[in-house]
Amino acid sequence: MTAARAEAGAAQIAECGRILVERAGFRPRVHLILGSGLGGLAARVRDPVTVTFGDLPGFPDTSVESHAGEFVLGHIAGVPVVVQSGRFHVYEGYGSGIVLAPVRTGRAAGARIVVLTNAAGGIRSDLVPGSLMLVDDHLNAMFRAPLAGPTHEHEERFPDMSRPYDPALLSLAEAAALEAGIALPRGVYGAVHGPSFETPAEVRALRTAGADAVGMSTVPEVLAARAGGQRALAISAITNRAAGLGLEPVDHTAVMTYASVAGRTLESLLETLLPSMATSVK
Ligand code: HPA
């Protein structure tokens, strides 16, 4: 029974990928996943073709405000991209089949590189609201193993995670940040289940365990991307000081306000970064 379910999932993903390529008329090479409040980059896509999640077999509608739930295909700085606004979070109660469907769809459409963005709370002292962090490693504190279950078609059973974020892409991102005059310190992203924000004790535990920032996404998608042989890069937009580290309680509205501040910096960074990626995806 489980094998049949896994097979149906794979067939559906292949169909989703086929729909994206058919509508766009090209195969995207880079899949950009935009986090909460970070959707602005979708407007910078040239000759955009939009495919909403609702048009894809097996995709539910997204439920959180500000999650448009669509793929925009086109070119940014000459690079064929698929820009995803909205994602499915584990805190919404979705299983891995849904949470990982967008990254698998991007791969089925042709994406070899996945660039993930997210909103995160800053734990390390320099990670203040409005700043960016280049994720160079992660800590899965979701108490979930997103790849558990039948092996998905085109994914490894035991993917290596010793270098989850592509070393060459990390260097390209740092070079782009330097060129654009944007501070981009590296750090470890701690992923939690949510939807409640952390307690101060949980933040201290995450810090002790090595996390520099904390958020509720990205890690499941990176695991699937790596299992499927894609190269991953992730950047966090720091929207608040993590619980217990700032003067204010952690508040979703404030998170969204700072997401748009950090989001503008992130857009400039990605626009500088994409052309340098173009050569690395040919
Ligand atoms: N914790 C978890 N997720 C988040 C946070 C946070 O402080 N800020 C933005 N996303």
Side-chain angles (χ1 to χ4, degrees), residues 21 27 29 37 40 62 68 77 95 122 131 237 255-256:
V21 174
R27 290 173 83 78
R29 288 300 172 206
T62 46
S131 62
V255 164
M256 296 309 282

Side-chain angles (χ1 to χ4, degrees), residues 60-83:
D61 285 332
T62 46
S63 64
V64 176
E65 203 189 329
S66 86
H67 280 51
E70 61 188 27
F71 290 108
V72 178
L73 294 111
H75 290 77
I76 298 180
V79 183
V81 294
V82 52
V83 179

Side-chain angles (χ1 to χ4, degrees), residues 85-142:
S85 300
R87 48 154 65 106
F88 303 108
H89 296 89
V90 294
Y91 65 69
E92 293 170 284
Y94 293 119
S96 294
I98 297 295
V99 172
L100 304 180
V103 76
R104 287 170 172 159
T105 294
R107 184 198 308 145
R112 294 289 158 260
I113 292 179
V114 186
V115 179
L116 303 106
T117 66
N118 57 57
I123 297 177
R124 205 173 64 206
S125 59
D126 61 312
L127 297 172
V128 295
S131 62
L132 300 179
M133 181 184 88
L134 181 61
V135 180
D136 71 352
D137 202 348
H138 71 225
L139 194 64
N140 181 359
M142 286 183 150

Side-chain angles (χ1 to χ4, degrees), residues 219-243:
V219 165
E221 293 128 305
V222 169
L223 295 175
R226 296 300 301 132
Q230 293 171 292
R231 299 161 68 195
L233 181 74
I235 300 169
S236 294
I238 305 299
T239 53
N240 57 283
R241 294 289 296 150

